[in-house]
Amino acid sequence: MQTAHGSAVEQLTAEGGAEYLTFTLGGESYGLDILKVQEIRGYDCVTRIANTPAFIKGVINLRGVIVPIVDLRIKFNMGEVTYHEFTVVIIINVLNKVVGIVVDGVSDVVALPPQSIKPAPELGASLDTRYITGLGTLNDEMLILVDIEKLIGSDELQIVDSTAENTQKEAVNL
């Protein structure tokens, strides 16, 4: 059975549109490709790893898989971060790796037609906008659309990879 939502999404996809999971960081709304999302869960205790950048909060064991947790609020230098019952971890698949990203909250899944997505602005060399794929508008609200693979890029993934591998080895050796 096909729902009205399903047929609208299929039509949107055929027209070149996409679905995004929207989330908040600070006062801003962001969106990432829903196909990269594995699951959404509340923030829980993480096992801290020594000598990692501040934005890598640690790792969790997710059904036998060691998952590094990256706090985007710290990565984006958003000032003081607090962890409470509304803090959320989005578990994503990035370049065949499972990573958790900490955000202030998850809002919705939205379908954006191509005409509602504008290119990211060029803001000069002082601001890194490589991870911004565009700016989407939905009901007069601006969404910053992120390319999560560029955001959690190769340098970070190498750190995350070695962190997860070392933690996995330590767990096996216990």
Side-chain angles (χ1 to χ4, degrees), residues 6 12 24 72 78 84-85 87 89 98 111 115-116 121-122 127 151 155:
L12 183 67
T24 56
L72 289 186
M78 296 192 143
H84 48 72
E85 66 272 9
T87 305
V89 177
V98 178
Q115 63 271 20
S116 69
E122 295 293 327
L127 192 60
L151 180 61
D155 293 342

Side-chain angles (χ1 to χ4, degrees), residues 90-149:
I90 304 170
I91 306 295
I92 56 173
N93 285 300
V94 181
L95 303 172
N96 298 320
K97 307 286 183 220
V98 178
V99 179
I101 57 173
V102 179
V103 299
D104 289 328
V106 171
S107 305
D108 202 358
V109 175
V110 298
L112 292 178
Q115 63 271 20
S116 69
I117 300 173
K118 305 297 180 219
E122 295 293 327
L123 298 175
S126 64
L127 192 60
D128 185 7
T129 58
R130 290 176 300 171
Y131 63 86
I132 299 175
T133 59
L135 299 172
T137 52
L138 183 71
N139 302 330
D140 296 326
E141 181 184 351
M142 185 76 63
L143 288 175
I144 302 167
L145 304 177
V146 296
D147 181 337
I148 201 67
E149 290 181 352

Side-chain angles (χ1 to χ4, degrees), residues 40-119:
I40 301 165
R41 51 189 295 126
Y43 184 80
D44 207 359
C45 290
V46 297
T47 302
R48 293 195 177 278
I49 306 295
N51 299 321
T52 57
F55 63 86
I56 298 178
K57 297 307 296 176
V59 295
I60 62 169
N61 184 337
L62 183 64
R63 295 182 292 281
V65 176
I66 302 299
V67 178
I69 303 297
V70 174
D71 194 325
L72 289 186
R73 301 170 304 175
I74 296 171
K75 185 165 175 56
F76 288 169
N77 296 317
M78 296 192 143
E80 188 69 30
V81 297
T82 57
Y83 300 91
H84 48 72
E85 66 272 9
F86 300 114
T87 305
V88 177
V89 177
I90 304 170
I91 306 295
I92 56 173
N93 285 300
V94 181
L95 303 172
N96 298 320
K97 307 286 183 220
V98 178
V99 179
I101 57 173
V102 179
V103 299
D104 289 328
V106 171
S107 305
D108 202 358
V109 175
V110 298
L112 292 178
Q115 63 271 20
S116 69
I117 300 173
K118 305 297 180 219

